[in-house]
Amino acid sequence: MTTRLFGEPVQRREDPRLLTGQGRYLDDLGRDALAAAFVRSPHAHARIRDIDVTPALDVPGLIAIHTWEDLPERVGRALPLLIPHPALTHGRTAYPLARDVVRHVGEPVVMVVASDRYAAEDACALIEVGYEPLKPVVGLEEAVQGAALVHEDVPGNVGAHLVQEVAAADGRGAGETIEAAPHTLSFRLDIERSASMPLEGRGVYARWDGRDLRVYSSTQTSTSVRMAVAATLGLPLPHVEVIAPDVGGGFGVKIVHPWPEEILVPWAAMTLGREVKWAEDRREHFISSAHERAQIQHVRVGFDDDGRVLGLDVTIRHDHGAYTPYGIIVPIVTSTQLLGPYKIGAYRVEFTSVYTNTVQVTPYRGAGRPQAVFCMERTMDKIARHLGKDRTEVREVNFIRPEEFPYDQRMTFQDGRPLIYDSGNYPEMLRMIKELIGWDGHERRPGRGIGIGCYVEGTGVGPYEGGHVQVTSDGRVHVSTGLTSQGQGHETVFAQIAATELGVPIERVSVVTGDTRRFGYAVGTFASRAAVMSGNAIALACRKVREKALRIAADALEADPADLAIDDGMVHVAGAPSASIPLSTVAVLANPLRYAFDDEAAKATQFSAAASPDRPPVAEGEEPGLEGRDYYSPIRSTFASGMHAAVVETDPDTAEIKVVRYAVVHDCGRLINPMIVEGQIHGGVAQGIGGALYERMVYDAHGQLVNASFMDFLMPYATEIPHVETAHLETPSPLNPLGIKGAGEAGVIPVSAVIASAVEDAEGIDVDRMPISPSELFELRSAVE
Ligand code: MCN
């Protein structure tokens, strides 16, 4: 049977299109549109004295030049602060074009529109902006000294400060517990900046016909962009449509909404009455989008002779860059999800989020969790080393036991709901990962090390997502959901869910995402939420459609709906397949307009009209058509978990670090498509290896990003990534109808911790930073000698 596809490794149906050049990305659209380009600040911190556009006015093809002063009041307002939080006492966002002060290199100052991008760039090059340089604040240490200020009205550059505390069972706080513990350790961890690097950058293309505005954006949140554009441009919502075409990766950076360009390009299209497009180039992506990670952590831990953690105190300094459009979600995630799979006696975490004259920090795949896991797993390794114990043994004594679920971590999650783990089996997972990597039989020799890292990840965050399902009279099933796809395989998995729920062959199911014409209420694709949120919403919508189909078919077959089943697109009496009716005919019966496209359907409609002369064509309480819509809104998030292990080899002469084996055991509840989940994990691990060994944003003292190109910002090639061995453990979530948990970020989260653990094992030194490069390993070796 081809219809029971939930849990099967169905090939990704979007791939033939995407792999044969038939994808339609933002820059494939609007080939004749006018092009926008931006003059961006060359200074990290400066006051704008004057802007002289006259030298650019003769550029052939120039259409318009706009500075902040030209923008109508609504358009020129500071961009919204998307997720306010009481701890964010000094939230600051940028203006779409800089108003008077620029606060990072790359901040947009002038927008140029021209006949093509060449002309627009030529004009940008001729515009003269007079700047009065101000002292830049670069790096966390400098920011907290507060000698220079990024925002004049933000004392000490501190945007947010939060302390969260959980006392031990006997009421003692973390400080007291640590003091009294048999063993204590204190250390500092440094986590550098990195960033999402989707192969397709951001981009927006807008068309205005005098009444309706259509915007295409390479976004992770088309419905939110729509609301922001409509509100900013003063348009009624039904007259604004936002469509995410194929999106070539997002990894978090495309959740921010609206980006300045998402407001300015539609505004230009409206004022000029012409189509306008902007596609980000790679340098713009480096200096003008967003970065992440960027923390310094101070850790104090107290533990007993078995390695049981009695108290943990973590102080985090988080570099927020120049603005906080996405609030303080990153440090909040770090601080609330730091405890991982462990029961910790008493816990205190404090973070201070500071402004610097660097590009803003917003979520990047993992969103604060790689930092949290680095902290917790480094702590576990250090405890093991201090006690001379095996690293897995120390983890095991601290694990939450399977019988303790649901387990309340007594913290508040990022959405304000209690942080309660719904299900999991950490001891079993540890057994599996040890077996997969061969932990006990690992060959120990200098220059070869093995490492481990564990994590728990809140996924499927609310508030809601919806699904719409329609069966048409040709028997096809059309599924739509409002969130967008950036390569996760949603066309395949949502079709699997619909095919399974409705009992139709998957070939008959089509899926549309990210198009506000099809689905207007949605939140977006981030925080590993699409499978849990839209997956369940689509299943619920299918169940509505199925019930209706069974009601109609029961009438036609003179049977009880409870006795009917749907298989392979046929509704039949269970156990009597000959008493059946195709779902296509049921769809015809559901729409009494009575267009029947084949003989069988025509007969069915005649029969139905004749059989019910005393009933209205649409029964009371029913709607015409075989379609349904439903929403899923969870009571709280579901917690996926995983354990990774790696073997590394370090070169004694060059200090090169090579990952020779990498293994993952992962639990995302019930798997919809194990092959897609493996793909997500492999991609995440590759990204994590980049973050562990190569990728960092290097700012100089003047706030210039010195490695803003793929020549200097090192992303790993396939040659640096070993085969990733993967095994799944399925502990279904009791919180949602399908029992699933998220998987999209899992691959990346523990990798830096795992690699640090393995390098430490190979070298016998402390690895307290991510990433670690050969030159740093060399330095660490020299410090020990
Ligand atoms: N899945 C499954 N069974 C489960 C859980 C998930 O089959 N139990 C499947 C899903 O149906 C989906 C994929 O695995 O096809 C990832 O699901 P999910 O965890 O719901 O994550 P999202 O779809 O919400 O994707 C977001 C997540 C995030 S937050 C980032 S960042 C990220 C990622 O996905 N960005 C990506 N993976 C990416 N993959 C690509 N190719 N491009 C990006 O930009």
Side-chain angles (χ1 to χ4, degrees):
M1 191 61 63
T2 55
T3 56
R4 301 280 174 261
L5 292 171
F6 193 107
E8 295 298 317
V10 175
Q11 293 271 348
R12 285 174 36 127
R13 356 166 59 198
E14 44 273 82
D15 284 353
R17 185 169 57 81
L18 297 177
L19 296 176
T20 55
Q22 294 172 73
R24 302 272 287 158
Y25 297 91
L26 194 277
D27 210 17
D28 295 320
L29 310 172
R31 304 302 271 181
D32 298 326
L34 301 177
F38 294 86
V39 175
R40 296 181 185 273
S41 170
H43 296 279
H45 199 190
R47 192 172 301 284
I48 299 171
R49 280 268 165 253
D50 47 58
I51 301 177
D52 184 5
V53 302
T54 42
L57 295 179
D58 295 334
V59 169
L62 178 75
I63 305 283
I65 300 179
H66 297 293
T67 65
W68 179 82
E69 308 238 312
D70 305 327
L71 304 177
E73 192 275 329
R74 256 186 132 95
V75 178
R77 283 181 203 164
L79 296 162
L81 199 162
L82 296 167
I83 310 181
H85 189 284
L88 179 59
T89 48
H90 296 81
R92 295 290 178 271
T93 59
Y95 291 92
L97 292 172
R99 185 176 167 173
D100 44 11
V101 175
V102 286
R103 294 191 176 82
H104 67 90
V105 170
E107 188 162 346
V109 180
V110 183
M111 174 171 65
V112 171
V113 182
S115 53
D116 58 50
R117 184 69 177 254
Y118 298 102
E121 295 279 358
D122 286 351
C124 283
L126 294 171
I127 291 169
E128 288 169 9
V129 183
Y131 293 101
E132 176 195 328
L134 301 169
K135 185 163 169 36
V137 178
V138 184
L140 274 164
E141 308 279 14
E142 195 177 324
V144 289
Q145 283 162 15
L149 297 180
V150 177
H151 299 273
E152 274 171 11
D153 56 348
V154 179
N157 293 310
V158 175
H161 179 247
L162 185 68
V163 179
Q164 292 157 287
E165 261 191 292
V166 177
D170 59 10
R172 286 183 305 159
E176 220 182 318
T177 326
I178 296 168
E179 290 306 318
H183 308 270
T184 58
L185 288 171
S186 303
F187 50 93
R188 167 184 159 146
L189 302 171
D190 285 86
I191 299 160
E192 300 233 22
R193 267 175 182 251
S194 188
S196 315
M197 281 294 156
L199 285 187
E200 183 200 24
R202 297 175 297 127
V204 57
Y205 157 52
R207 302 207 298 240
W208 167 248
D209 67 7
R211 193 193 73 149
D212 293 323
L213 179 69
R214 178 172 296 179
V215 179
Y216 293 85
S217 179
S218 183
T219 178
Q220 294 177 233
T221 54
S222 52
T223 45
S224 306
V225 172
R226 180 193 191 204
M227 286 193 285
V229 168
T232 313
L233 302 186
L235 291 171
L237 197 64
H239 292 278
V240 180
E241 299 295 356
V242 176
I243 300 158
D246 285 322
V247 174
F251 306 110
V253 73
K254 295 176 185 174
I255 4 171
V256 178
H257 55 269
W259 280 101
E261 299 86 355
E262 279 171 331
I263 293 296
L264 295 169
V265 168
W267 173 72
M270 283 179 71
T271 48
L272 297 169
R274 305 273 302 270
E275 297 183 9
V276 183
K277 183 169 80 171
W278 166 77
E280 183 182 64
D281 67 27
R282 188 54 59 184
R283 184 170 160 74
E284 284 180 304
H285 190 77
F286 270 99
I287 63 173
S288 306
S289 61
H291 299 164
E292 219 235 79
R293 313 306 189 223
Q295 288 183 359
I296 295 173
Q297 303 169 339
H298 291 273
V299 185
R300 251 173 16 108
V301 59
F303 48 98
D304 67 14
D305 294 342
D306 296 327
R308 197 169 287 109
V309 177
L310 306 171
L312 179 69
D313 187 322
V314 182
T315 309
I316 299 170
R317 289 205 177 124
H318 177 79
D319 180 351
H320 233 124
Y323 301 108
T324 47
Y326 220 74
I328 45 173
I329 203 77
V330 173
I332 290 225
V333 171
T334 306
S335 57
T336 51
Q337 293 192 42
L338 204 141
L339 300 176
Y342 309 113
K343 284 189 286 191
I344 303 296
Y347 174 52
R348 180 182 182 279
V349 62
E350 172 178 359
F351 77 74
T352 309
S353 186
V354 296
Y355 289 109
T356 58
N357 288 115
T358 57
V359 74
Q360 64 203 2
V361 162
T362 66
Y364 158 40
R365 198 175 194 177
R369 296 182 196 88
Q371 300 91 312
V373 172
F374 194 71
C375 177
M376 198 68 208
E377 295 301 297
R378 298 285 61 232
T379 303
M380 288 294 162
D381 280 359
K382 283 175 194 291
I383 293 173
R385 213 157 143 206
H386 180 88
L387 296 174
K389 285 184 177 295
D390 185 275
R391 288 165 287 168
T392 61
E393 211 179 301
V394 167
R395 284 168 169 84
E396 180 130 34
V397 295
N398 285 290
F399 278 158
I400 296 160
R401 314 305 301 178
E403 60 279 9
E404 289 175 296
F405 291 98
Y407 186 82
D408 188 347
Q409 280 288 21
R410 296 172 296 150
M411 305 271 291
T412 305
F413 193 52
Q414 72 228 37
D415 58 1
R417 287 166 184 261
L419 200 156
I420 301 173
Y421 296 170
D422 47 333
S423 63
N425 189 341
Y426 310 139
E428 172 61 9
M429 208 174 236
L430 184 68
R431 190 198 61 71
M432 287 169 74
I433 192 72
K434 284 177 74 174
E435 192 179 304
L436 193 59
I437 198 79
W439 184 271
D440 291 331
H442 171 72
E443 180 203 346
R444 307 207 94 79
R445 58 177 153 87
R448 185 176 167 93
I450 190 166
I452 186 163
C454 312
Y455 66 94
V456 172
E457 178 199 1
T459 65
V461 69
Y464 72 88
E465 214 59 64
H468 179 259
V469 177
Q470 183 185 38
V471 183
T472 44
S473 54
D474 53 4
R476 289 176 208 266
V477 178
H478 308 274
V479 175
S480 55
T481 183
L483 54 66
T484 60
S485 301
Q486 303 90 51
Q488 291 89 347
H490 296 153
E491 274 177 64
T492 308
V493 284
F494 295 154
Q496 284 180 258
I497 292 173
T500 306
E501 293 286 337
L502 286 176
V504 296
I506 194 167
E507 298 73 29
R508 288 198 207 150
V509 185
S510 65
V511 176
V512 170
T513 58
D515 184 339
T516 61
R517 292 170 303 178
R518 292 287 290 271
F519 210 100
Y521 288 95
V523 181
T525 300
F526 53 89
S528 303
R529 64 190 295 284
V532 175
M533 302 301 300
S534 283
N536 279 293
I538 289 165
L540 294 173
C542 285
R543 289 175 193 181
K544 275 190 177 170
V545 171
R546 182 186 168 87
E547 269 177 35
K548 183 170 185 181
L550 295 186
R551 276 200 307 275
I552 296 170
D555 205 24
L557 295 171
E558 295 180 353
D560 187 332
D563 294 336
L564 297 182
I566 315 180
D567 282 309
D568 227 6
M570 297 295 286
V571 188
H572 63 91
V573 178
S578 56
S580 66
I581 177 172
L583 203 55
S584 54
T585 306
V586 178
V588 173
L589 292 174
N591 182 359
L593 190 58
R594 305 225 179 287
Y595 285 138
F597 297 100
D598 57 52
D599 291 348
E600 196 177 348
K603 263 187 263 157
T605 53
Q606 279 158 22
F607 157 82
S608 140
S612 50
D614 51 349
R615 280 193 270 159
V618 178
E620 208 179 307
E622 291 283 21
E623 290 177 1
L626 189 51
E627 62 182 323
R629 176 188 300 269
D630 213 336
Y631 292 85
Y632 173 65
S633 182
I635 184 88
R636 53 176 196 272
S637 290
T638 168
F639 286 81
S641 54
M643 295 181 194
H644 294 198
V647 176
V648 303
E649 285 176 1
T650 53
D651 189 294
D653 302 318
T654 64
E656 190 194 350
I657 302 162
K658 198 164 177 344
V659 184
V660 290
R661 279 192 63 198
Y662 203 97
V664 175
V665 177
H666 183 247
D667 177 4
C668 58
R670 288 184 67 209
L671 293 158
I672 310 167
N673 185 324
M675 190 173 64
I676 286 185
V677 170
E678 275 182 31
Q680 285 288 309
I681 288 176
H682 291 181
V685 168
Q687 223 160 5
I689 288 177
L693 295 176
Y694 310 109
E695 297 172 10
R696 74 181 69 199
M697 295 291 173
V698 183
Y699 278 96
D700 70 10
H702 307 288
Q704 297 291 338
L705 184 62
V706 298
N707 61 339
S709 84
F710 281 158
M711 290 293 288
D712 304 304
F713 177 83
L714 302 181
M715 287 173 80
Y717 294 119
T719 43
E720 274 91 41
I721 309 298
H723 170 65
V724 179
E725 301 156 61
T726 317
H728 301 287
L729 178 71
E730 289 184 70
T731 63
S733 171
L735 297 179
N736 62 72
L738 297 177
I740 49 187
K741 307 174 180 180
E745 291 163 283
V748 79
I749 289 174
V751 184
S752 288
V754 174
I755 302 289
S757 177
V759 172
E760 211 165 81
D761 188 46
E763 295 277 326
I765 50 165
D766 286 316
V767 178
D768 289 343
R769 60 180 72 168
M770 70 183 247
I772 173 146
S773 64
S775 61
E776 278 154 338
L777 178 56
F778 199 79
E779 265 172 40
L780 288 174
R781 279 178 182 167
S782 317
V784 173
E785 279 159 18

